Amino acid sequence: MFAVSIPSESSTKQPAGGLDKFFHISERGSSVGREIRAGIVTFFAMAYIVLLNPLILGTSPDREGVVLGIPQVAAVTALAAGVMCILFGVIAKYPFGIAAGLGLNTLVAVTLVGQQGLTWPEAMGLIVIDGIIICILAISGFRTAVFEAIPNSMKVAMSVGIGMFIAMIGLVDAGFVRRIPDEAHTTVPVQLGFGGSIASWPTAVFVIGLLICGFMVIRNIPGGLFIGIVATTIISMIVESFVGAGSSAENDHGWSLAVPALPDSLGGIPDLSLVGKIDMVGAFVEVGVVAASLLVFTLVLANFFDAMGTMTALGRQAGLTDENDNLPGMKKALVVEGFGAVVGGAFSGSSNTVFVDSSAGIADGARTGLANVVTGILFLLAMFLTPLYEIVPIEAAAPVLVVVGALMMMQVSNIDWTRFDVAFPAFLTIIMMPLTYSIANGIGVGFIAFTVMALFAGKRKDIHWIMWLISALFLIYFAQGPLMSLIS
């Protein structure tokens, strides 16, 4: 089992009272101080969603010309994340942050609203239905059964693939790896910096932050990743004050999202007018029952397996899983996670799910739900206090993601690479996640390959029936484009 090594602290030896017993802090070898610190690290690793989600959901009009608005989406994004992080921390007692899922919010904006012509309330209504179905599946025990049916080699592959996915996110967000414009007429999809050179100040700051975080991990310094984020943020503010790189929206060589400078004001009262604006019937009327049902199926499958893969990886990273890589109390955690889709849809901020960036806090020592509570409180404060998420640029948090990706990659040795029927599905799972920017895609391709390879190896009877079912569902999932065309 893989876990990040954290130095021992004297405060972890004896229970400190009710708080310690409730969250099992000493039992999991942590301390209150460490959980608070790691919860802050998780927040800063996730805080970009408060800036990015509004850019995805808040700028495009629906068929009635309604635009949700950036300030409004930012407010409900922070509110939903705050509520769900606290709920998950208190009920599930794991340090897995929850916020609007990036793949799912893009699916809502591009597919449901952009291509299918749904209004924002209709699209959010489908998200709520998705969440209700996920909760029912969790309460029934089916989600837990799926976790237990997955072979250990595939669980390891999911963890390693998510590690590579995390690292890819960090490298791309920091500008160290960039997409080559289409007009370049090249078959290479990405490049190093600009034209093979690290030619922007924000990316240079990222490299410095990467070195700082690497040093902290090698030296095994308590709170090293938190220190790395703070130090890199200070460096970025100094650099910005001298060079004035600005935002990437104005300048290709600027900062990706937040510009590291002290804001003019401390924020204000958040606009929560989007809360409750949902229509759970309109989509079935607009596109038809069959088409709407297929859209719900797509949401459920993407949500289901994104969360499954992420929770498996985070549990392994924190050393909280059992000998079969299953989390104790999994059913309760899955019900709460599924409720995140209901809350996200009801708040008009898209489905909320377990965030892979929580790995940053786990790497800094988070082992209990107390860290999640801290993260949630900071998200709620972010609705009022702008500096909490606008001072820290993504380039300062991205080094942590790359370092964590490297740490999670260490699990790859637990896969039997001498057996092709095991190695090939694992390889596809690992490589497809970063290349397609989707955890669900990697899991789907890997599961289909696993069942086919086992069939080729004459091990049909060894394949759990749930693996056959999942593979069949993913075949439908990958064929959703042609299916929607036929229905249309």
PDB file of all heavy atoms in Angstrom, residues 185-201:
ATOM      1  N   HIS A 185      -0.077  23.491 -37.940  1.00  0.00           N
ATOM      2  CA  HIS A 185      -0.100  22.341 -38.860  1.00  0.00           C
ATOM      3  C   HIS A 185       0.905  21.263 -38.437  1.00  0.00           C
ATOM      4  O   HIS A 185       1.703  20.788 -39.232  1.00  0.00           O
ATOM      5  CB  HIS A 185       0.185  22.783 -40.298  1.00  0.00           C
ATOM      6  CG  HIS A 185      -0.805  23.788 -40.816  1.00  0.00           C
ATOM      7  ND1 HIS A 185      -2.143  23.500 -41.035  1.00  0.00           N
ATOM      8  CD2 HIS A 185      -0.647  25.086 -41.145  1.00  0.00           C
ATOM      9  CE1 HIS A 185      -2.768  24.566 -41.481  1.00  0.00           C
ATOM     10  NE2 HIS A 185      -1.892  25.562 -41.555  1.00  0.00           N
ATOM     11  N   THR A 186       0.872  20.915 -37.178  1.00  0.00           N
ATOM     12  CA  THR A 186       1.783  19.896 -36.678  1.00  0.00           C
ATOM     13  C   THR A 186       0.997  18.742 -36.080  1.00  0.00           C
ATOM     14  O   THR A 186      -0.138  18.914 -35.652  1.00  0.00           O
ATOM     15  CB  THR A 186       2.728  20.478 -35.606  1.00  0.00           C
ATOM     16  OG1 THR A 186       3.542  19.436 -35.091  1.00  0.00           O
ATOM     17  CG2 THR A 186       1.942  21.075 -34.450  1.00  0.00           C
ATOM     18  N   THR A 187       1.593  17.569 -36.066  1.00  0.00           N
ATOM     19  CA  THR A 187       0.926  16.413 -35.477  1.00  0.00           C
ATOM     20  C   THR A 187       1.209  16.307 -33.985  1.00  0.00           C
ATOM     21  O   THR A 187       0.634  15.465 -33.309  1.00  0.00           O
ATOM     22  CB  THR A 187       1.413  15.115 -36.164  1.00  0.00           C
ATOM     23  OG1 THR A 187       2.842  15.035 -36.047  1.00  0.00           O
ATOM     24  CG2 THR A 187       1.030  15.113 -37.622  1.00  0.00           C
ATOM     25  N   VAL A 188       2.099  17.145 -33.464  1.00  0.00           N
ATOM     26  CA  VAL A 188       2.432  17.114 -32.034  1.00  0.00           C
ATOM     27  C   VAL A 188       1.420  17.976 -31.280  1.00  0.00           C
ATOM     28  O   VAL A 188       1.311  19.170 -31.540  1.00  0.00           O
ATOM     29  CB  VAL A 188       3.859  17.644 -31.785  1.00  0.00           C
ATOM     30  CG1 VAL A 188       4.184  17.572 -30.294  1.00  0.00           C
ATOM     31  CG2 VAL A 188       4.869  16.842 -32.584  1.00  0.00           C
ATOM     32  N   PRO A 189       0.637  17.365 -30.351  1.00  0.00           N
ATOM     33  CA  PRO A 189      -0.438  18.128 -29.704  1.00  0.00           C
ATOM     34  C   PRO A 189       0.022  19.124 -28.647  1.00  0.00           C
ATOM     35  O   PRO A 189      -0.672  20.077 -28.350  1.00  0.00           O
ATOM     36  CB  PRO A 189      -1.294  17.036 -29.065  1.00  0.00           C
ATOM     37  CG  PRO A 189      -0.328  15.928 -28.798  1.00  0.00           C
ATOM     38  CD  PRO A 189       0.657  15.966 -29.923  1.00  0.00           C
ATOM     39  N   VAL A 190       1.191  18.890 -28.048  1.00  0.00           N
ATOM     40  CA  VAL A 190       1.668  19.782 -26.995  1.00  0.00           C
ATOM     41  C   VAL A 190       3.141  20.097 -27.218  1.00  0.00           C
ATOM     42  O   VAL A 190       3.847  19.412 -27.949  1.00  0.00           O
ATOM     43  CB  VAL A 190       1.489  19.154 -25.595  1.00  0.00           C
ATOM     44  CG1 VAL A 190       0.019  19.035 -25.238  1.00  0.00           C
ATOM     45  CG2 VAL A 190       2.158  17.790 -25.525  1.00  0.00           C
ATOM     46  N   GLN A 191       3.578  21.151 -26.553  1.00  0.00           N
ATOM     47  CA  GLN A 191       4.968  21.548 -26.685  1.00  0.00           C
ATOM     48  C   GLN A 191       5.489  22.066 -25.348  1.00  0.00           C
ATOM     49  O   GLN A 191       4.713  22.323 -24.427  1.00  0.00           O
ATOM     50  CB  GLN A 191       5.108  22.656 -27.740  1.00  0.00           C
ATOM     51  CG  GLN A 191       4.393  23.951 -27.362  1.00  0.00           C
ATOM     52  CD  GLN A 191       4.547  25.035 -28.407  1.00  0.00           C
ATOM     53  OE1 GLN A 191       5.450  24.987 -29.225  1.00  0.00           O
ATOM     54  NE2 GLN A 191       3.668  26.020 -28.374  1.00  0.00           N
ATOM     55  N   LEU A 192       6.788  22.233 -25.240  1.00  0.00           N
ATOM     56  CA  LEU A 192       7.402  22.784 -24.046  1.00  0.00           C
ATOM     57  C   LEU A 192       7.339  24.300 -24.120  1.00  0.00           C
ATOM     58  O   LEU A 192       7.922  24.918 -25.013  1.00  0.00           O
ATOM     59  CB  LEU A 192       8.857  22.329 -23.943  1.00  0.00           C
ATOM     60  CG  LEU A 192       9.646  22.861 -22.731  1.00  0.00           C
ATOM     61  CD1 LEU A 192       9.104  22.254 -21.448  1.00  0.00           C
ATOM     62  CD2 LEU A 192      11.133  22.535 -22.880  1.00  0.00           C
ATOM     63  N   GLY A 193       6.595  24.924 -23.185  1.00  0.00           N
ATOM     64  CA  GLY A 193       6.516  26.377 -23.140  1.00  0.00           C
ATOM     65  C   GLY A 193       6.081  26.984 -24.456  1.00  0.00           C
ATOM     66  O   GLY A 193       5.168  26.509 -25.123  1.00  0.00           O
ATOM     67  N   PHE A 194       6.760  28.051 -24.860  1.00  0.00           N
ATOM     68  CA  PHE A 194       6.505  28.696 -26.143  1.00  0.00           C
ATOM     69  C   PHE A 194       7.597  28.307 -27.132  1.00  0.00           C
ATOM     70  O   PHE A 194       8.754  28.686 -26.975  1.00  0.00           O
ATOM     71  CB  PHE A 194       6.487  30.233 -25.988  1.00  0.00           C
ATOM     72  CG  PHE A 194       5.295  30.753 -25.258  1.00  0.00           C
ATOM     73  CD1 PHE A 194       5.364  31.064 -23.907  1.00  0.00           C
ATOM     74  CD2 PHE A 194       4.089  30.935 -25.915  1.00  0.00           C
ATOM     75  CE1 PHE A 194       4.266  31.547 -23.228  1.00  0.00           C
ATOM     76  CE2 PHE A 194       2.970  31.418 -25.240  1.00  0.00           C
ATOM     77  CZ  PHE A 194       3.067  31.721 -23.898  1.00  0.00           C
ATOM     78  N   GLY A 195       7.213  27.507 -28.141  1.00  0.00           N
ATOM     79  CA  GLY A 195       8.190  27.116 -29.146  1.00  0.00           C
ATOM     80  C   GLY A 195       9.384  26.370 -28.594  1.00  0.00           C
ATOM     81  O   GLY A 195      10.494  26.483 -29.109  1.00  0.00           O
ATOM     82  N   GLY A 196       9.156  25.592 -27.517  1.00  0.00           N
ATOM     83  CA  GLY A 196      10.243  24.812 -26.935  1.00  0.00           C
ATOM     84  C   GLY A 196      11.070  25.555 -25.904  1.00  0.00           C
ATOM     85  O   GLY A 196      12.084  25.047 -25.432  1.00  0.00           O
ATOM     86  N   SER A 197      10.638  26.764 -25.528  1.00  0.00           N
ATOM     87  CA  SER A 197      11.379  27.566 -24.546  1.00  0.00           C
ATOM     88  C   SER A 197      10.459  27.998 -23.405  1.00  0.00           C
ATOM     89  O   SER A 197       9.278  28.273 -23.626  1.00  0.00           O
ATOM     90  CB  SER A 197      11.974  28.815 -25.199  1.00  0.00           C
ATOM     91  OG  SER A 197      12.866  28.483 -26.234  1.00  0.00           O
ATOM     92  N   ILE A 198      11.017  28.059 -22.216  1.00  0.00           N
ATOM     93  CA  ILE A 198      10.270  28.578 -21.057  1.00  0.00           C
ATOM     94  C   ILE A 198      10.443  30.091 -21.084  1.00  0.00           C
ATOM     95  O   ILE A 198      11.356  30.654 -20.485  1.00  0.00           O
ATOM     96  CB  ILE A 198      10.815  27.993 -19.739  1.00  0.00           C
ATOM     97  CG1 ILE A 198      10.853  26.475 -19.824  1.00  0.00           C
ATOM     98  CG2 ILE A 198       9.953  28.456 -18.574  1.00  0.00           C
ATOM     99  CD1 ILE A 198       9.519  25.839 -20.116  1.00  0.00           C
ATOM    100  N   ALA A 199       9.542  30.751 -21.807  1.00  0.00           N
ATOM    101  CA  ALA A 199       9.756  32.170 -22.116  1.00  0.00           C
ATOM    102  C   ALA A 199       8.789  33.100 -21.399  1.00  0.00           C
ATOM    103  O   ALA A 199       8.578  34.223 -21.839  1.00  0.00           O
ATOM    104  CB  ALA A 199       9.643  32.382 -23.630  1.00  0.00           C
ATOM    105  N   SER A 200       8.180  32.659 -20.298  1.00  0.00           N
ATOM    106  CA  SER A 200       7.285  33.553 -19.559  1.00  0.00           C
ATOM    107  C   SER A 200       7.659  33.552 -18.087  1.00  0.00           C
ATOM    108  O   SER A 200       8.121  32.541 -17.544  1.00  0.00           O
ATOM    109  CB  SER A 200       5.825  33.109 -19.725  1.00  0.00           C
ATOM    110  OG  SER A 200       5.556  31.932 -18.995  1.00  0.00           O
ATOM    111  N   TRP A 201       7.469  34.692 -17.455  1.00  0.00           N
ATOM    112  CA  TRP A 201       7.793  34.805 -16.033  1.00  0.00           C
ATOM    113  C   TRP A 201       6.937  33.877 -15.160  1.00  0.00           C
ATOM    114  O   TRP A 201       7.458  33.256 -14.232  1.00  0.00           O
ATOM    115  CB  TRP A 201       7.648  36.257 -15.584  1.00  0.00           C
ATOM    116  CG  TRP A 201       8.806  37.111 -15.990  1.00  0.00           C
ATOM    117  CD1 TRP A 201       8.848  38.046 -16.973  1.00  0.00           C
ATOM    118  CD2 TRP A 201      10.120  37.074 -15.412  1.00  0.00           C
ATOM    119  NE1 TRP A 201      10.098  38.610 -17.063  1.00  0.00           N
ATOM    120  CE2 TRP A 201      10.902  38.038 -16.109  1.00  0.00           C
ATOM    121  CE3 TRP A 201      10.720  36.341 -14.390  1.00  0.00           C
ATOM    122  CZ2 TRP A 201      12.245  38.272 -15.803  1.00  0.00           C
ATOM    123  CZ3 TRP A 201      12.054  36.570 -14.082  1.00  0.00           C
ATOM    124  CH2 TRP A 201      12.804  37.526 -14.792  1.00  0.00           C
TER     125      TRP A 201
END
